[in-house]
Amino acid sequence: MLSKVITIIFDGLGDRPVKELGNKTPLEAAATPNLDRLAANGICGLMHTMGRGIRPGSDVAHMSIFGYPMEKYYTGRGPIEVAGLGLRLQSGDIAFRGNFATVDDKWNITDRRAGRITDVTELAKALNGIKIDGIEFIVLAGTAHRAGVVMRGEGLSSAVSDSDPHEEGKPVYAVKPLNSSPEAHFTAAVLNKFLKQSNEVLSSHPANKKRVSNGKLPANFLLLRGAGVYPSLPAFKDKYGMSACCIAGGGLYKGIGAFLGMDIIDVPGATALPDSDVEAKFKTAVEMLVKYDFVFVHVKAADSLAEDGNYMGKKEFIEKCDKAANTLLKLPEDTLLVITADHTTPSALKAHSADPVPVLFCGAGIRTDRVAEFNETAVSSGGLGIIEGKDIMPEVLNLLGKLPLAGA
Ligand code: ZN
């Protein structure tokens, strides 16, 4: 009887035929004996992650697959990124993504990444805990110049503009309310006070004085964007009755796992880049089955390579993933394997598209079909037909015998 699940999401795996690859997609052109074997043993289909005709962003595509529809639970990128930094957000918190940046005396941006500063831990600490008008600011260091910022308190709104003009040489934007509510006006006013105070604290911070004396740019400003309110949402475990963990290299994907209440498992060598140790991630996923019912594994690089137009790199990365998938051929009898993607990223477009993605279920005792290869064309004749992202979890529950009976 199936009782455990590994779900692997290859970011941007789907593609379109590439002339230089003999009119095959990178997935079709790649040698993938292990993924093909899994396809032959399982049941396949195509999936519109967010419904037909919708071009999904990665964050909301993942949420759809896990059964958290965008309309109900997505309020912006901020809360997801901040969850990925390890903070347990509370319902009503307003979260932002942030960059430590360099500004001049007139708040014109000299460098959006503060001279590619590599560690902002000390600077984040100096801002963490600032209180303005009864609102507490929680500031967390991210990787390199990145940070997460949370406003916690009464009377807040996420309807505020970014302070980040996204361009160097331009002045920092004053935060503005995006609607006429008193909450939006209050939040914008408090944020503008925070930006001023944080600029003062950062400018006089010893770490920045040292940077300047070493000829480096000071990280004297915190640019904020992507305001979102942390929604009240059921944790994955409560929603499905399965303990869950997330294995990912990229911050956004750890964030998605943490946002949904999954434990985050760090795997050395998981970088979210083409050099990522995919094999270590798959091996760790299998090990985690002892402790967790549901293991989500995210693999990033097929997407970033396609966004660079690098179809050959994408093909080679897929082949590397296929070698790593050797680990998945002999899973424990009680384990269901789901392999899919969050969206298609055609290398020719260098962007996400609405084309459906391949999806595969494989496990002991489940139905199979005649599909014997894992790629866009082969799976289109599979037994799952064309499904949507929101169909994945009901299908998982069905195969695990956990779906409630409709009617009598
Ligand atoms: Zn994606």
Side-chain angles (χ1 to χ4, degrees):
M1 187 69 190
L2 295 170
S3 61
K4 306 260 175 173
V5 187
I6 294 178
T7 296
I8 297 170
I9 299 183
F10 288 106
D11 209 295
L13 179 68
D15 210 299
R16 292 178 185 169
V18 177
K19 206 170 149 200
E20 291 81 353
L21 296 175
N23 283 320
K24 292 179 171 176
T25 68
L27 182 57
E28 285 175 314
T32 55
N34 291 323
L35 291 171
D36 293 347
R37 177 102 72 89
L38 292 164
N41 291 339
I43 188 164
C44 295
L46 283 171
M47 176 170 78
H48 290 282
T49 33
M50 301 189 65
R52 217 177 266 268
I54 297 179
R55 198 163 73 89
S58 293
D59 45 11
V60 289
H62 279 77
M63 287 172 64
S64 292
I65 291 170
F66 294 128
Y68 294 81
M70 174 180 181
E71 308 78 61
K72 203 166 168 191
Y73 296 113
Y74 185 72
T75 67
R77 185 86 165 247
I80 296 177
E81 299 257 351
V82 170
L85 297 176
L87 182 75
R88 285 251 177 241
L89 286 158
Q90 296 173 9
S91 174
D93 282 351
I94 309 292
F96 302 80
R97 310 162 71 191
N99 269 19
F100 278 89
T102 308
V103 299
D104 65 16
D105 297 344
K106 289 179 181 131
W107 284 16
N108 288 305
I109 297 176
T110 319
D111 189 329
R112 287 191 69 247
R113 300 186 179 104
R116 298 223 165 242
I117 189 167
T118 53
D119 185 359
V120 295
T121 311
E122 285 302 308
L123 299 171
K125 256 188 211 160
L127 303 180
N128 189 37
I130 287 179
K131 275 206 177 94
I132 298 169
D133 298 340
I135 302 302
E136 183 188 359
F137 284 83
I138 302 165
V139 182
L140 302 158
T143 51
H145 56 280
R146 299 180 192 85
V149 176
V150 172
M151 297 175 79
R152 185 170 284 171
E154 296 293 316
L156 293 172
S157 163
S158 61
V160 289
S161 64
D162 294 353
S163 70
D164 186 350
H166 295 273
E167 236 178 282
E168 279 155 17
K170 283 200 168 173
V172 171
Y173 292 153
V175 178
K176 292 195 179 76
L178 296 177
N179 63 35
S180 58
S181 71
E183 288 82 7
H185 279 84
F186 173 66
T187 307
V190 173
L191 266 172
N192 285 319
K193 287 183 194 171
F194 172 74
L195 295 181
K196 185 166 183 293
Q197 190 172 334
S198 59
N199 173 238
E200 287 162 9
V201 171
L202 292 171
S203 299
S204 60
H205 195 282
N208 268 330
K209 293 212 159 130
K210 196 172 160 202
R211 282 181 69 79
V212 173
S213 68
N214 288 339
K216 291 180 178 166
L217 291 171
N220 59 5
F221 205 87
L222 194 47
L223 293 168
L224 299 179
R225 63 187 187 280
V229 60
Y230 188 70
S232 131
L233 97 179
F236 188 92
K237 187 175 180 186
D238 299 329
K239 194 170 163 68
Y240 299 113
M242 287 186 276
S243 57
C245 71
C246 160
I247 296 171
L252 174 64
Y253 307 94
K254 291 181 189 181
I256 289 164
F259 188 72
L260 304 182
M262 299 178 184
D263 287 348
I264 307 303
I265 309 297
D266 283 315
V267 175
T271 60
L273 300 170
D275 71 355
S276 187
D277 193 343
V278 181
E279 191 177 355
K281 289 167 84 172
F282 290 172
K283 285 191 167 153
T284 306
V286 176
E287 286 163 21
M288 287 302 137
L289 291 170
V290 177
K291 196 171 165 201
Y292 295 95
D293 303 318
F294 188 100
V295 183
F296 156 44
V297 186
H298 180 264
V299 181
K300 175 68 186 168
D303 176 61
S304 359
L305 289 162
E307 287 200 328
D308 291 341
N310 186 354
Y311 54 83
M312 192 56 84
K314 184 170 178 178
K315 171 185 167 282
E316 285 162 6
F317 182 73
I318 292 169
E319 288 175 339
K320 171 181 161 167
C321 293
D322 184 80
K323 285 205 178 79
N326 186 43
T327 306
L328 306 170
L329 292 180
K330 284 197 185 121
L331 289 178
E333 276 266 299
D334 64 354
T335 302
L336 173 69
L337 178 64
V338 184
I339 299 179
T340 188
D342 56 344
H343 52 77
T344 290
T345 309
S347 308
L349 290 185
K350 301 184 180 180
H352 301 185
S353 77
D355 307 55
V357 296
V359 55
L360 151 68
F361 285 81
C362 187
I366 73 167
R367 289 184 187 176
T368 59
D369 56 21
R370 293 198 180 85
V371 176
E373 286 174 53
F374 187 68
N375 61 55
E376 298 89 335
T377 310
V379 301
S380 67
S381 61
L384 287 174
I386 299 181
I387 64 169
E388 293 190 6
K390 67 180 166 56
D391 300 326
I392 290 279
M393 287 310 296
E395 189 57 30
V396 164
L397 295 176
N398 174 49
L399 294 173
L400 265 55
K402 284 171 171 277
L403 208 54
L405 184 68

mmCIF file of all heavy atoms in Angstrom, residues 200-242:
data_model
loop_
_atom_site.group_PDB
_atom_site.id
_atom_site.type_symbol
_atom_site.label_atom_id
_atom_site.label_comp_id
_atom_site.label_asym_id
_atom_site.label_seq_id
_atom_site.Cartn_x
_atom_site.Cartn_y
_atom_site.Cartn_z
ATOM 1 N N GLU A 200 20.215 56.170 8.630
ATOM 2 C CA GLU A 200 21.086 56.769 9.666
ATOM 3 C C GLU A 200 21.883 55.701 10.409
ATOM 4 O O GLU A 200 23.090 55.827 10.607
ATOM 5 C CB GLU A 200 20.230 57.570 10.660
ATOM 6 C CG GLU A 200 19.699 58.880 10.062
ATOM 7 C CD GLU A 200 18.509 59.483 10.831
ATOM 8 O OE1 GLU A 200 18.182 58.980 11.938
ATOM 9 O OE2 GLU A 200 17.909 60.419 10.300
ATOM 10 N N VAL A 201 21.179 54.628 10.801
ATOM 11 C CA VAL A 201 21.853 53.549 11.542
ATOM 12 C C VAL A 201 22.947 52.925 10.681
ATOM 13 O O VAL A 201 24.080 52.700 11.126
ATOM 14 C CB VAL A 201 20.825 52.458 11.970
ATOM 15 C CG1 VAL A 201 21.528 51.234 12.547
ATOM 16 C CG2 VAL A 201 19.830 53.025 12.983
ATOM 17 N N LEU A 202 22.620 52.660 9.407
ATOM 18 C CA LEU A 202 23.586 51.985 8.530
ATOM 19 C C LEU A 202 24.774 52.884 8.214
ATOM 20 O O LEU A 202 25.918 52.420 8.173
ATOM 21 C CB LEU A 202 22.900 51.562 7.216
ATOM 22 C CG LEU A 202 21.854 50.449 7.356
ATOM 23 C CD1 LEU A 202 21.085 50.264 6.045
ATOM 24 C CD2 LEU A 202 22.496 49.136 7.776
ATOM 25 N N SER A 203 24.507 54.174 8.004
ATOM 26 C CA SER A 203 25.604 55.083 7.635
ATOM 27 C C SER A 203 26.659 55.167 8.732
ATOM 28 O O SER A 203 27.843 55.309 8.457
ATOM 29 C CB SER A 203 25.057 56.481 7.355
ATOM 30 O OG SER A 203 24.158 56.417 6.278
ATOM 31 N N SER A 204 26.222 55.067 10.001
ATOM 32 C CA SER A 204 27.195 55.199 11.088
ATOM 33 C C SER A 204 27.664 53.830 11.608
ATOM 34 O O SER A 204 28.391 53.753 12.588
ATOM 35 C CB SER A 204 26.572 56.003 12.234
ATOM 36 O OG SER A 204 25.419 55.338 12.703
ATOM 37 N N HIS A 205 27.252 52.752 10.954
ATOM 38 C CA HIS A 205 27.620 51.415 11.443
ATOM 39 C C HIS A 205 29.105 51.129 11.196
ATOM 40 O O HIS A 205 29.627 51.407 10.109
ATOM 41 C CB HIS A 205 26.762 50.361 10.737
ATOM 42 C CG HIS A 205 26.809 49.027 11.404
ATOM 43 N ND1 HIS A 205 27.866 48.162 11.258
ATOM 44 C CD2 HIS A 205 25.937 48.406 12.244
ATOM 45 C CE1 HIS A 205 27.638 47.058 11.977
ATOM 46 N NE2 HIS A 205 26.474 47.190 12.584
ATOM 47 N N PRO A 206 29.808 50.577 12.197
ATOM 48 C CA PRO A 206 31.242 50.292 12.043
ATOM 49 C C PRO A 206 31.575 49.439 10.813
ATOM 50 O O PRO A 206 32.592 49.672 10.159
ATOM 51 C CB PRO A 206 31.594 49.513 13.326
ATOM 52 C CG PRO A 206 30.506 49.830 14.299
ATOM 53 C CD PRO A 206 29.296 50.219 13.526
ATOM 54 N N ALA A 207 30.691 48.483 10.479
ATOM 55 C CA ALA A 207 30.966 47.612 9.324
ATOM 56 C C ALA A 207 31.000 48.433 8.034
ATOM 57 O O ALA A 207 31.825 48.174 7.145
ATOM 58 C CB ALA A 207 29.899 46.526 9.217
ATOM 59 N N ASN A 208 30.153 49.466 7.961
ATOM 60 C CA ASN A 208 30.157 50.321 6.770
ATOM 61 C C ASN A 208 31.335 51.287 6.783
ATOM 62 O O ASN A 208 31.919 51.578 5.743
ATOM 63 C CB ASN A 208 28.832 51.089 6.673
ATOM 64 C CG ASN A 208 27.813 50.328 5.839
ATOM 65 O OD1 ASN A 208 28.180 49.596 4.920
ATOM 66 N ND2 ASN A 208 26.545 50.482 6.171
ATOM 67 N N LYS A 209 31.697 51.784 7.993
ATOM 68 C CA LYS A 209 32.870 52.679 8.073
ATOM 69 C C LYS A 209 34.109 51.924 7.593
ATOM 70 O O LYS A 209 34.961 52.464 6.894
ATOM 71 C CB LYS A 209 33.049 53.165 9.511
ATOM 72 C CG LYS A 209 31.890 54.085 9.925
ATOM 73 C CD LYS A 209 32.341 55.147 10.909
ATOM 74 C CE LYS A 209 31.367 56.311 10.911
ATOM 75 N NZ LYS A 209 30.935 56.678 12.261
ATOM 76 N N LYS A 210 34.176 50.631 7.981
ATOM 77 C CA LYS A 210 35.314 49.805 7.569
ATOM 78 C C LYS A 210 35.300 49.605 6.050
ATOM 79 O O LYS A 210 36.342 49.672 5.397
ATOM 80 C CB LYS A 210 35.219 48.448 8.278
ATOM 81 C CG LYS A 210 36.499 47.657 8.245
ATOM 82 C CD LYS A 210 36.392 46.433 9.133
ATOM 83 C CE LYS A 210 37.441 45.416 8.725
ATOM 84 N NZ LYS A 210 37.113 44.066 9.134
ATOM 85 N N ARG A 211 34.104 49.367 5.502
ATOM 86 C CA ARG A 211 34.000 49.179 4.045
ATOM 87 C C ARG A 211 34.505 50.422 3.317
ATOM 88 O O ARG A 211 35.266 50.312 2.353
ATOM 89 C CB ARG A 211 32.544 48.914 3.632
ATOM 90 C CG ARG A 211 32.076 47.499 3.892
ATOM 91 C CD ARG A 211 30.631 47.285 3.450
ATOM 92 N NE ARG A 211 30.450 47.323 2.000
ATOM 93 C CZ ARG A 211 30.730 46.317 1.190
ATOM 94 N NH1 ARG A 211 31.186 45.176 1.683
ATOM 95 N NH2 ARG A 211 30.545 46.436 -0.114
ATOM 96 N N VAL A 212 34.093 51.596 3.798
ATOM 97 C CA VAL A 212 34.494 52.841 3.133
ATOM 98 C C VAL A 212 36.009 53.032 3.227
ATOM 99 O O VAL A 212 36.669 53.376 2.242
ATOM 100 C CB VAL A 212 33.742 54.052 3.735
ATOM 101 C CG1 VAL A 212 34.283 55.367 3.174
ATOM 102 C CG2 VAL A 212 32.237 53.934 3.443
ATOM 103 N N SER A 213 36.585 52.746 4.426
ATOM 104 C CA SER A 213 38.036 52.934 4.561
ATOM 105 C C SER A 213 38.808 51.915 3.725
ATOM 106 O O SER A 213 39.962 52.135 3.392
ATOM 107 C CB SER A 213 38.463 52.890 6.035
ATOM 108 O OG SER A 213 38.283 51.588 6.533
ATOM 109 N N ASN A 214 38.156 50.812 3.362
ATOM 110 C CA ASN A 214 38.800 49.838 2.466
ATOM 111 C C ASN A 214 38.489 50.108 0.996
ATOM 112 O O ASN A 214 38.737 49.275 0.128
ATOM 113 C CB ASN A 214 38.337 48.413 2.807
ATOM 114 C CG ASN A 214 38.927 47.930 4.124
ATOM 115 O OD1 ASN A 214 39.941 48.451 4.580
ATOM 116 N ND2 ASN A 214 38.286 46.956 4.740
ATOM 117 N N GLY A 215 37.885 51.275 0.731
ATOM 118 C CA GLY A 215 37.583 51.639 -0.659
ATOM 119 C C GLY A 215 36.351 50.954 -1.218
ATOM 120 O O GLY A 215 36.153 50.925 -2.438
ATOM 121 N N LYS A 216 35.522 50.383 -0.340
ATOM 122 C CA LYS A 216 34.299 49.705 -0.819
ATOM 123 C C LYS A 216 33.087 50.610 -0.619
ATOM 124 O O LYS A 216 33.108 51.545 0.177
ATOM 125 C CB LYS A 216 34.082 48.406 -0.038
ATOM 126 C CG LYS A 216 35.125 47.347 -0.351
ATOM 127 C CD LYS A 216 34.841 46.097 0.465
ATOM 128 C CE LYS A 216 35.834 45.006 0.138
ATOM 129 N NZ LYS A 216 35.785 43.926 1.123
ATOM 130 N N LEU A 217 32.031 50.292 -1.321
ATOM 131 C CA LEU A 217 30.789 51.061 -1.176
ATOM 132 C C LEU A 217 30.086 50.660 0.125
ATOM 133 O O LEU A 217 30.015 49.473 0.456
ATOM 134 C CB LEU A 217 29.852 50.780 -2.359
ATOM 135 C CG LEU A 217 30.302 51.323 -3.719
ATOM 136 C CD1 LEU A 217 29.395 50.781 -4.824
ATOM 137 C CD2 LEU A 217 30.288 52.851 -3.718
ATOM 138 N N PRO A 218 29.552 51.650 0.852
ATOM 139 C CA PRO A 218 28.805 51.300 2.068
ATOM 140 C C PRO A 218 27.417 50.749 1.727
ATOM 141 O O PRO A 218 26.808 51.198 0.767
ATOM 142 C CB PRO A 218 28.679 52.645 2.801
ATOM 143 C CG PRO A 218 28.690 53.662 1.700
ATOM 144 C CD PRO A 218 29.584 53.110 0.609
ATOM 145 N N ALA A 219 26.952 49.783 2.511
ATOM 146 C CA ALA A 219 25.577 49.274 2.342
ATOM 147 C C ALA A 219 24.692 50.114 3.250
ATOM 148 O O ALA A 219 24.343 49.706 4.361
ATOM 149 C CB ALA A 219 25.521 47.802 2.724
ATOM 150 N N ASN A 220 24.351 51.325 2.770
ATOM 151 C CA ASN A 220 23.743 52.308 3.662
ATOM 152 C C ASN A 220 22.243 52.517 3.459
ATOM 153 O O ASN A 220 21.658 53.461 3.954
ATOM 154 C CB ASN A 220 24.481 53.649 3.553
ATOM 155 C CG ASN A 220 24.453 54.204 2.135
ATOM 156 O OD1 ASN A 220 23.808 53.639 1.263
ATOM 157 N ND2 ASN A 220 25.162 55.297 1.917
ATOM 158 N N PHE A 221 21.628 51.622 2.681
ATOM 159 C CA PHE A 221 20.185 51.779 2.461
ATOM 160 C C PHE A 221 19.539 50.417 2.244
ATOM 161 O O PHE A 221 20.163 49.490 1.737
ATOM 162 C CB PHE A 221 19.911 52.675 1.244
ATOM 163 C CG PHE A 221 18.573 53.342 1.303
ATOM 164 C CD1 PHE A 221 18.420 54.553 1.963
ATOM 165 C CD2 PHE A 221 17.458 52.749 0.735
ATOM 166 C CE1 PHE A 221 17.178 55.159 2.040
ATOM 167 C CE2 PHE A 221 16.217 53.346 0.810
ATOM 168 C CZ PHE A 221 16.076 54.553 1.466
ATOM 169 N N LEU A 222 18.285 50.319 2.658
ATOM 170 C CA LEU A 222 17.547 49.084 2.461
ATOM 171 C C LEU A 222 16.403 49.378 1.485
ATOM 172 O O LEU A 222 15.466 50.102 1.826
ATOM 173 C CB LEU A 222 17.020 48.600 3.814
ATOM 174 C CG LEU A 222 16.504 47.175 3.937
ATOM 175 C CD1 LEU A 222 17.454 46.151 3.318
ATOM 176 C CD2 LEU A 222 16.289 46.836 5.409
ATOM 177 N N LEU A 223 16.525 48.837 0.271
ATOM 178 C CA LEU A 223 15.457 49.000 -0.730
ATOM 179 C C LEU A 223 14.423 47.909 -0.513
ATOM 180 O O LEU A 223 14.779 46.741 -0.362
ATOM 181 C CB LEU A 223 16.044 48.851 -2.140
ATOM 182 C CG LEU A 223 17.015 49.934 -2.590
ATOM 183 C CD1 LEU A 223 17.724 49.500 -3.873
ATOM 184 C CD2 LEU A 223 16.284 51.243 -2.805
ATOM 185 N N LEU A 224 13.153 48.291 -0.509
ATOM 186 C CA LEU A 224 12.100 47.303 -0.224
ATOM 187 C C LEU A 224 11.146 47.159 -1.408
ATOM 188 O O LEU A 224 10.840 48.121 -2.099
ATOM 189 C CB LEU A 224 11.298 47.737 1.007
ATOM 190 C CG LEU A 224 12.085 47.868 2.306
ATOM 191 C CD1 LEU A 224 11.162 48.319 3.426
ATOM 192 C CD2 LEU A 224 12.763 46.552 2.673
ATOM 193 N N ARG A 225 10.681 45.925 -1.604
ATOM 194 C CA ARG A 225 9.699 45.676 -2.675
ATOM 195 C C ARG A 225 8.883 44.426 -2.351
ATOM 196 O O ARG A 225 9.230 43.648 -1.467
ATOM 197 C CB ARG A 225 10.415 45.515 -4.018
ATOM 198 C CG ARG A 225 11.343 44.316 -4.083
ATOM 199 C CD ARG A 225 12.125 44.344 -5.402
ATOM 200 N NE ARG A 225 12.907 43.139 -5.586
ATOM 201 C CZ ARG A 225 14.081 42.911 -5.023
ATOM 202 N NH1 ARG A 225 14.615 43.806 -4.216
ATOM 203 N NH2 ARG A 225 14.734 41.791 -5.248
ATOM 204 N N GLY A 226 7.811 44.229 -3.121
ATOM 205 C CA GLY A 226 7.028 42.984 -3.042
ATOM 206 C C GLY A 226 6.221 42.846 -1.763
ATOM 207 O O GLY A 226 6.067 41.733 -1.255
ATOM 208 N N ALA A 227 5.666 43.950 -1.250
ATOM 209 C CA ALA A 227 4.901 43.875 -0.005
ATOM 210 C C ALA A 227 3.775 42.860 -0.106
ATOM 211 O O ALA A 227 3.059 42.801 -1.106
ATOM 212 C CB ALA A 227 4.305 45.246 0.309
ATOM 213 N N GLY A 228 3.649 42.051 0.919
ATOM 214 C CA GLY A 228 2.541 41.096 0.958
ATOM 215 C C GLY A 228 2.188 40.812 2.399
ATOM 216 O O GLY A 228 3.052 40.827 3.276
ATOM 217 N N VAL A 229 0.909 40.570 2.629
ATOM 218 C CA VAL A 229 0.494 40.233 3.992
ATOM 219 C C VAL A 229 0.530 38.717 4.121
ATOM 220 O O VAL A 229 0.183 37.994 3.185
ATOM 221 C CB VAL A 229 -0.912 40.803 4.307
ATOM 222 C CG1 VAL A 229 -1.966 40.261 3.359
ATOM 223 C CG2 VAL A 229 -1.308 40.523 5.755
ATOM 224 N N TYR A 230 1.037 38.246 5.251
ATOM 225 C CA TYR A 230 1.068 36.802 5.458
ATOM 226 C C TYR A 230 -0.364 36.334 5.726
ATOM 227 O O TYR A 230 -0.997 36.772 6.679
ATOM 228 C CB TYR A 230 1.985 36.434 6.632
ATOM 229 C CG TYR A 230 2.185 34.942 6.756
ATOM 230 C CD1 TYR A 230 2.935 34.254 5.809
ATOM 231 C CD2 TYR A 230 1.629 34.218 7.795
ATOM 232 C CE1 TYR A 230 3.108 32.886 5.897
ATOM 233 C CE2 TYR A 230 1.811 32.847 7.893
ATOM 234 C CZ TYR A 230 2.549 32.193 6.938
ATOM 235 O OH TYR A 230 2.724 30.836 7.030
ATOM 236 N N PRO A 231 -0.889 35.480 4.846
ATOM 237 C CA PRO A 231 -2.293 35.107 4.984
ATOM 238 C C PRO A 231 -2.468 34.051 6.066
ATOM 239 O O PRO A 231 -1.506 33.408 6.475
ATOM 240 C CB PRO A 231 -2.620 34.515 3.614
ATOM 241 C CG PRO A 231 -1.329 33.929 3.141
ATOM 242 C CD PRO A 231 -0.225 34.754 3.750
ATOM 243 N N SER A 232 -3.704 33.892 6.505
ATOM 244 C CA SER A 232 -3.950 32.775 7.396
ATOM 245 C C SER A 232 -4.136 31.561 6.493
ATOM 246 O O SER A 232 -5.027 31.532 5.646
ATOM 247 C CB SER A 232 -5.179 33.114 8.228
ATOM 248 O OG SER A 232 -6.077 32.085 8.239
ATOM 249 N N LEU A 233 -3.220 30.602 6.577
ATOM 250 C CA LEU A 233 -3.297 29.462 5.658
ATOM 251 C C LEU A 233 -2.998 28.161 6.376
ATOM 252 O O LEU A 233 -2.216 28.149 7.323
ATOM 253 C CB LEU A 233 -2.412 29.691 4.427
ATOM 254 C CG LEU A 233 -1.007 29.163 4.238
ATOM 255 C CD1 LEU A 233 -0.480 29.586 2.886
ATOM 256 C CD2 LEU A 233 -0.054 29.600 5.312
ATOM 257 N N PRO A 234 -3.685 27.081 5.977
ATOM 258 C CA PRO A 234 -3.466 25.817 6.659
ATOM 259 C C PRO A 234 -2.102 25.234 6.297
ATOM 260 O O PRO A 234 -1.712 25.280 5.130
ATOM 261 C CB PRO A 234 -4.588 24.921 6.116
ATOM 262 C CG PRO A 234 -4.928 25.502 4.788
ATOM 263 C CD PRO A 234 -4.640 26.968 4.862
ATOM 264 N N ALA A 235 -1.375 24.738 7.282
ATOM 265 C CA ALA A 235 -0.101 24.086 7.003
ATOM 266 C C ALA A 235 -0.363 22.814 6.203
ATOM 267 O O ALA A 235 -1.424 22.192 6.332
ATOM 268 C CB ALA A 235 0.611 23.754 8.304
ATOM 269 N N PHE A 236 0.597 22.455 5.370
ATOM 270 C CA PHE A 236 0.470 21.282 4.507
ATOM 271 C C PHE A 236 0.063 20.048 5.317
ATOM 272 O O PHE A 236 -0.806 19.288 4.915
ATOM 273 C CB PHE A 236 1.819 21.042 3.810
ATOM 274 C CG PHE A 236 1.776 19.989 2.745
ATOM 275 C CD1 PHE A 236 1.520 20.326 1.427
ATOM 276 C CD2 PHE A 236 2.002 18.650 3.052
ATOM 277 C CE1 PHE A 236 1.479 19.352 0.431
ATOM 278 C CE2 PHE A 236 1.959 17.680 2.069
ATOM 279 C CZ PHE A 236 1.704 18.033 0.759
ATOM 280 N N LYS A 237 0.665 19.902 6.477
ATOM 281 C CA LYS A 237 0.384 18.723 7.298
ATOM 282 C C LYS A 237 -1.085 18.694 7.756
ATOM 283 O O LYS A 237 -1.728 17.643 7.766
ATOM 284 C CB LYS A 237 1.308 18.709 8.519
ATOM 285 C CG LYS A 237 1.174 17.433 9.315
ATOM 286 C CD LYS A 237 2.157 17.339 10.451
ATOM 287 C CE LYS A 237 1.903 16.003 11.144
ATOM 288 N NZ LYS A 237 2.672 15.816 12.338
ATOM 289 N N ASP A 238 -1.601 19.863 8.105
ATOM 290 C CA ASP A 238 -3.000 19.922 8.555
ATOM 291 C C ASP A 238 -3.967 19.721 7.392
ATOM 292 O O ASP A 238 -5.025 19.135 7.540
ATOM 293 C CB ASP A 238 -3.276 21.270 9.235
ATOM 294 C CG ASP A 238 -2.390 21.459 10.460
ATOM 295 O OD1 ASP A 238 -2.057 20.440 11.104
ATOM 296 O OD2 ASP A 238 -2.001 22.601 10.754
ATOM 297 N N LYS A 239 -3.565 20.218 6.237
ATOM 298 C CA LYS A 239 -4.431 20.130 5.059
ATOM 299 C C LYS A 239 -4.525 18.695 4.542
ATOM 300 O O LYS A 239 -5.594 18.257 4.125
ATOM 301 C CB LYS A 239 -3.858 21.057 3.974
ATOM 302 C CG LYS A 239 -4.777 21.372 2.809
ATOM 303 C CD LYS A 239 -4.141 22.503 1.975
ATOM 304 C CE LYS A 239 -4.724 22.641 0.590
ATOM 305 N NZ LYS A 239 -6.098 23.097 0.538
ATOM 306 N N TYR A 240 -3.414 17.972 4.575
ATOM 307 C CA TYR A 240 -3.392 16.646 3.940
ATOM 308 C C TYR A 240 -3.109 15.490 4.910
ATOM 309 O O TYR A 240 -3.086 14.336 4.495
ATOM 310 C CB TYR A 240 -2.350 16.626 2.814
ATOM 311 C CG TYR A 240 -2.641 17.616 1.715
ATOM 312 C CD1 TYR A 240 -1.818 18.707 1.489
ATOM 313 C CD2 TYR A 240 -3.784 17.469 0.922
ATOM 314 C CE1 TYR A 240 -2.095 19.628 0.490
ATOM 315 C CE2 TYR A 240 -4.072 18.384 -0.087
ATOM 316 C CZ TYR A 240 -3.224 19.463 -0.290
ATOM 317 O OH TYR A 240 -3.514 20.375 -1.272
ATOM 318 N N GLY A 241 -2.841 15.818 6.153
ATOM 319 C CA GLY A 241 -2.522 14.747 7.092
ATOM 320 C C GLY A 241 -1.211 14.054 6.797
ATOM 321 O O GLY A 241 -1.030 12.879 7.106
ATOM 322 N N MET A 242 -0.287 14.782 6.139
ATOM 323 C CA MET A 242 1.024 14.205 5.834
ATOM 324 C C MET A 242 2.116 15.170 6.283
ATOM 325 O O MET A 242 2.075 16.360 5.913
ATOM 326 C CB MET A 242 1.165 13.974 4.318
ATOM 327 C CG MET A 242 0.343 12.823 3.779
ATOM 328 S SD MET A 242 0.714 12.516 2.020
ATOM 329 C CE MET A 242 -0.362 13.701 1.251
#
